[in-house]
């Protein structure tokens, strides 16, 4: 538990510069060159008054409150904008400085409402503090002159209010939006007395370019920009540091609390992934955790057509265990399994796979990473030797060429996108490979040097053509390859990639990307300095997802862009704990730490620790579970935190499989789409209600800390433990720290990880062991984890999902900033104000051909099914390509996606579906059935509390 007041040293730290010694008020202090006098004084404990300066932003020097005297310097320089110098002698306090500072404060206060006692910032307002610090006792100018006190509030944003009457025009908000967020939505309009903060062209915040990240709110030293929750509830009395439960950036937050109620989430300045920044989801969209839709009592029913019945935990767990055992007795040991989620903590995921392997006695465990980043695990393990990204996020600040492939960071990984944009504004070059014109291609002060607007499904052809240029134009880093890579595999790859059919010219008809652009991009990546690749689901969710990951690794190895800061191969993980859920052994073929279940030594290690014999054959993957269910061989499923009925492809196939099972146990916060097919509902806990860890896209393990008691009585790891005990496999953990102890004991890459070390270091990037007790920010530094880097042949094989006269368009999917994954959380927040429905993006040419106008209902049909969405006519997509998000179940995006999948990992080919689009006037048949079924299920839920016990 922490105090809610954070120290602010006034200006950003400087690192890596020579040290300078000066004297401040007679005391010596040594700091890096470039440090401001203000910060040097603060490090000495001398608090110079300040208003416009904050350590999160570069100094601006507008308020004139931080004036000091410096020997040999004329006038009174602002200490925030004055860098230290060797031998400098600074005075921070004397009568003249006090007089000037008081005068400055008088001017501010003469145009400021005197409602401190009723102001939301009372007691935490820097203006109020400074009035006290400078000893302000009177305002000689009075309060009756021209002022801004009647300026109207802007309450358009659902999460914060802008009250310009309180603004001191310090421009911290403007600079936060520019420097930290990179949206540049705010300006100071007008001059002198007329200056004011304006969003975009002086429109309400909601109508502006603002993306509601909250950086300006955090930066504001007054109550001008305040969270609505702070205004409504008052200030917090303690705070707890925890980790965002949304995306794979893994931002650290201070949950500011009043007792067990969250007042606001404040991004943690010490957070090593986010450095005090956040996005609209992590900062504001936590209302789902206390939403009335939360189910907080266990429920049972024998058939999915029966009403739900609220029962005790004992009854629910007892029933679930009996059913699982009955099914195994009747249909065999392999007839049940479990699915864990990337939304679960590491400890929860570990327990689920342990329950399945040791308690169920089979390896039928899988995770939602199956449908997103499983090709990353496979492709990087095969080439580099470890199933993880190679860098930390800060590494991007050393990159000279940033190559973004199949990722949309400003929507999917917004805080990292802000950091990336900062580097791009500093002058790094950008290459984007994406079928769509994502925001990054052109944003304020940023323009991609190359946008390789490829056709969906042609990634491997594109990466081969890029590699061809590198090989044929002599850009291979021969020294790196010779020293670090397996030369036999390199020779084979070089011969393959040099073939004329891999040239950009030969592949242009396939990729649709002009050969000249491919050549220019390849040259830039190979010769532009540090080249860093960031990729997302646009790489993995393809029939050749694993091949593409290997192609990316080949490209990085061939150009020597691995093993140091500023380079690397970096998968941007979608959900908060994708990396962790994979690390924890939730795939059917691997124990924690990516060790195959057939490895006798490893299996014996786990058998020894867990006290039971373990299967040596991989279990069923999620799609195989569906197949086996439809074949009548798989009858029981325990799902923790995942919604396969919405997130997995070919919804009708998935729901048919679910309907065929005899016992589905869903552990979740809400009656999600999968729970509508369940027989047992175990109410889960939100990230605010439990302890544990998440591992972000940088392999960074961070603590999740309980800030309130679990609403249903148990944290998720406890529920899994109850189930394990009930099926006859004893578990007796008393805290997730003990689970992590076991993980560390059994997993070499985690052997140095413990809650105590996380407490000491803040967070840890694995591998963390005896060789790397502080963790590993950059991987493969001296050598690759597998020894020599291995090149793999990446022949392009076109997907079978091709356009034809019946389905002449290609649909691809993605996500949007304000919503998250299946939307179960964000749809229950005000984030719906930005995105209340999934829309179908269609190029004006395709729209016109079909008589489709903006907002029209469009029927989209594939060979798997059809659905209806409203049209957004836009040139963001290329002709022939459609795009939609998948955050709303009734959109049925996955009714259309097919069962095509990656050859190596079964990761679904979400990114390419051949479809036809037509203007329609009513929902699809599936949507009508979906609505009816959902209505029935919601009705059956209403009976839960009143049903006889
Ligand atoms: S909330 Fe973020 S994007 Fe919006 S104005 Fe403030 S800093 Fe800019
Ligand atoms: S809104 Fe706040 S941060 Fe922005 S100029 Fe006004 S007082 Fe400063
Ligand atoms: S960037 Fe990701 S981790 Fe950070 S606040 Fe947003 S959703 Fe949470
Ligand atoms: S804090 Fe230095 S001028 Fe405002």
């Amino acid at each position: 538990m922490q105090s809610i007041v954070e120290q602010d040293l006034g200006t950003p730290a400087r690192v890596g510069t020579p040290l300078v010694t000066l004297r401040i008020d007679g005391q010596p202090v040594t700091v890096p060159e470039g440090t401001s006098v203000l910060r040097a004084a603060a490090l000495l404990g001398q608090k110079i008054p300040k208003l416009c300066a904050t350590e999160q932003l570069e100094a601006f020097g507008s308020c004139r409150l931080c004036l000091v005297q410096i020997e040999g310097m004329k006038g009174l320089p602002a200490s925030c904008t004055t860098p230290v110098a060797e031998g400098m002698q600074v005075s921070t306090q004397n009568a003249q400085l006090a007089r000037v500072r008081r005068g400055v404060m008088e001017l501010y206060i003469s145009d400021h409402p005197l409602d401190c006692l009723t102001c939301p910032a009372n007691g935490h307002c820097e203006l109020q503090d400074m009035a006290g610090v400078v000893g302000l006792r009177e305002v000689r100018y009075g309060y009756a002159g021209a002022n801004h006190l009647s300026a109207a509030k802007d309450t358009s944003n659902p999460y914060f209010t802008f009250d310009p009457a309180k603004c001191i025009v310090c421009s911290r908000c403007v600079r936060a939006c520019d420097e930290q967020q990179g949206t540049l939505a705010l300006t100071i309009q007008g001059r002198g007395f007329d200056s004011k903060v304006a969003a975009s062209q002086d429109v309400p915040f909601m109508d502006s370019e603002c993306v509601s990240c909250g950086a300006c709110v955090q930066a504001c030293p007054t109550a001008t920009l305040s969270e609505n929750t702070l205004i409504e509830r008052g200030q917090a009395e303690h705070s707890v540091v925890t980790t965002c439960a949304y995306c794979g950036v893994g931002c650290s937050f201070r949950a500011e609390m009043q007792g067990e109620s969250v007042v606001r989430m404040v991004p943690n300045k010490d957070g090593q992934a986010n450095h005090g920044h956040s996005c609209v989801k992590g900062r504001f969209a936590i209302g789902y955790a206390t939403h009335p839709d939360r189910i907080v009592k266990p429920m049972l029913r024998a058939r999915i057509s029966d009403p739900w019945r609220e029962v005790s935990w004992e009854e629910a767990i007892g029933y679930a265990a009996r059913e699982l055992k009955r099914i195994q007795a009747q249909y065999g040991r392999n007839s049940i399994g479990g699915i864990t989620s990337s939304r679960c903590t590491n400890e929860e995921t570990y327990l689920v796979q342990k329950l399945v392997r040791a308690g169920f006695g089979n390896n039928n465990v899988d995770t939602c990473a199956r449908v997103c980043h499983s090709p990353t695990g496979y492709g990087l393990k095969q080439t580099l030797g470890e199933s993880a990204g190679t860098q930390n996020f800060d590494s991007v600040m050393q990159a000279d060429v940033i190559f973004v492939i199949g990722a949309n960071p400003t929507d999917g990984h917004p805080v990292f996108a802000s950091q990336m944009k900062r580097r791009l504004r500093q002058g790094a070059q950008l290459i984007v490979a994406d079928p769509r014109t994502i925001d990054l291609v052109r944003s304020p002060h940023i323009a991609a040097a190359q946008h390789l607007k490829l056709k969906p499904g042609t990634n491997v052809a594109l990466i081969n053509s890029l590699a061809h240029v590198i090989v044929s134009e002599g850009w291979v880093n021969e020294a790196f390859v010779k020293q670090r890579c397996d030369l036999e595999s390199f020779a084979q790859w070089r011969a393959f990639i040099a073939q004329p059919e891999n040239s950009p010219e030969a592949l242009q008809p396939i990729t649709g990307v002009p050969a000249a652009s491919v050549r220019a991009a390849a040259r830039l990546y190979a010769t532009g300095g540090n080249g860093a690749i960031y990729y997302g689901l646009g790489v993995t969710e393809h029939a050749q997802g694993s091949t593409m990951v290997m192609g990316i690794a080949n490209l990085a190895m061939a150009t020597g862009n691995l093993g140091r800061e500023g380079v690397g191969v970096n998968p941007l993980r979608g959900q908060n704990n994708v990396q962790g859920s994979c690390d924890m052994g939730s795939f059917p073929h691997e124990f924690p730490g990516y060790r195959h279940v057939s490895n006798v030594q490893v299996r014996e290690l786990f058998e020894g620790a867990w006290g039971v014999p373990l299967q040596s054959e991989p279990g069923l993957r999620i799609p195989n579970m569906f197949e086996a269910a439809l074949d009548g061989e798989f009858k029981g499923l325990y799902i923790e935190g995942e919604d396969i009925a919405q997130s997995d492809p070919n919804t009708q196939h998935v729901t048919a499989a679910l309907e065929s099972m005899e016992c589905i146990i869903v552990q979740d916060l809400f009656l999600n789409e999968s729970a509508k097919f369940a027989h047992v509902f175990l109410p889960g806990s939100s990230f605010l209600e439990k302890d544990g860890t998440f591992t972000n896209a940088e392999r960074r393990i961070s603590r999740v800390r309980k800030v309130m008691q679990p609403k249903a009585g148990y944290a998720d790891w406890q529920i899994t433990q109850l189930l394990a005990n009930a099926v006859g496999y004893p578990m007796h953990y008393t805290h997730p720290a003990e689970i992590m102890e076991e993980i560390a004991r059994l997993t070499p890459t985690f052997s140095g990880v413990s809650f105590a070390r996380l407490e000491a270091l803040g967070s840890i990037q694995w591998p963390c062991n005896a060789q790397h007790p502080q963790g590993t920010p950059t991987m493969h530094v001296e050598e690759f984890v597998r020894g020599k880097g291995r090149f793999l042949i990446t022949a392009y094989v076109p997907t079978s999902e091709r356009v034809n006269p019946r389905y002449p368009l290609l649909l691809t999917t993605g996500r949007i900033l304000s919503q998250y994954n299946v939307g179960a959380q964000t749809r229950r927040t005000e984030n719906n104000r930005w995105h209340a429905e999934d829309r179908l993006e269609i190029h004006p040419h395709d729209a016109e051909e079909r008589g489709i106008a903006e907002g029209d209902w469009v029927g989209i049909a594939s060979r798997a099914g059809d659905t209806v969405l409203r049209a957004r006519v836009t040139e963001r997509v290329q002709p022939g390509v459609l795009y939609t998000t998948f955050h709303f179940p009734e959109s049925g995006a996955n009714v259309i996606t097919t069962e095509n999948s990656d050859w190596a990992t079964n990761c679904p080919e979400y990114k390419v579906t051949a479809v036809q689009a037509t203007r329609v006037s009513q929902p699809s048949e599936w949507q009508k059935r979906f609505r009816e079924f959902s209505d029935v299920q919601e009705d059956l839920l209403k009976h839960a509390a009143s049903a006889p016990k």
Side-chain angles (χ1 to χ4, degrees), residues 157 160 172-178 180-186 197-200 205 208-219 225 277-280 283-284:
N157 186 291
F160 60 84
R172 271 163 66 160
C173 55
V174 177
R175 287 177 285 139
C177 193
D178 293 359
Q180 235 185 331
Q181 166 56 21
T183 294
L184 285 76
L186 302 178
V197 172
S200 296
F205 269 76
S208 73
E209 279 114 18
C210 167
V211 292
S212 208
C213 72
C216 56
V217 180
Q218 190 166 353
L225 283 159
H277 192 37
S278 69
C279 82
V280 61
R283 187 174 177 111
F284 295 119

Side-chain angles (χ1 to χ4, degrees), residues 485-635:
C485 301
D486 174 71
L487 295 180
E488 198 184 322
S489 69
F490 174 69
Q492 286 166 359
W493 175 78
R494 173 178 248 170
F496 156 75
I497 214 75
Q499 291 165 6
E501 58 261 40
N502 284 323
S503 73
E505 290 72 19
L507 290 170
Q508 178 172 335
I510 291 170
T511 61
V513 182
S517 303
V518 174
R519 287 193 178 274
R523 283 174 204 141
L524 181 57
Y525 173 69
T527 65
N530 283 342
I533 297 178
Y534 296 89
Y535 72 87
L537 303 182
V539 159
T540 54
E541 290 177 342
H542 286 274
Q544 281 199 292
S546 292
T547 316
M548 180 62 179
V549 173
M550 293 169 188
I552 288 173
N554 289 341
L555 200 69
M557 286 190 288
T559 52
N561 276 313
L562 281 162
R564 61 182 191 278
E565 272 201 88
V567 297
V569 172
N570 302 284
L572 294 174
R573 310 295 188 142
Q575 302 198 63
N576 49 336
N577 203 31
V578 176
Q579 181 68 56
S581 75
C582 300
D583 301 341
M584 291 300 109
S586 53
F587 288 135
H589 65 295
E590 285 170 338
F591 287 117
Y594 304 100
R595 289 163 297 164
H596 204 277
V597 292
S598 63
N599 181 321
V600 178
Q601 225 181 341
V602 174
R603 205 169 58 252
E604 282 175 1
L605 174 75
F606 281 92
E607 285 175 340
W610 294 351
V612 286
L614 299 170
Q615 271 189 347
S616 58
E617 293 294 314
L620 297 173
R621 298 169 172 181
I622 292 172
N624 307 128
M625 291 181 193
F626 298 149
E627 293 302 332
L630 290 167
D631 289 345
E633 292 161 7
F634 190 79
K635 292 287 184 182

Side-chain angles (χ1 to χ4, degrees), residues 72 80 123 127 160 185 263 390 513 526 574 601 687 724 768 821 847 882 898 925:
C80 64
L127 187 69
F160 60 84
V263 175
T390 61
V513 182
Q601 225 181 341
F687 78 113
C768 173
N821 201 268
L882 305 177
T898 67
E925 287 308 310

Side-chain angles (χ1 to χ4, degrees), residues 56 67 119 129 152 175 195 205 264 290 354 451 454 459 531 560 576 617 647 674 696 724 834 893 895 930:
Q56 295 288 98
L67 308 183
C119 175
D129 292 348
R175 287 177 285 139
S195 345
F205 269 76
R264 60 178 182 174
T290 47
K354 182 174 177 180
H451 176 200
L454 73 172
N459 283 341
N576 49 336
E617 293 294 314
S647 62
S674 305
N696 76 352
W834 285 274
V895 175
F930 169 84

Side-chain angles (χ1 to χ4, degrees), residues 162 166-174 188 197 216 219-222 224-225:
F162 175 55
K166 294 188 164 147
C167 182
I168 58 170
V169 202
C170 66
S171 120
R172 271 163 66 160
C173 55
V174 177
I188 302 282
V197 172
C216 56
C220 183
T222 66
T224 312
L225 283 159

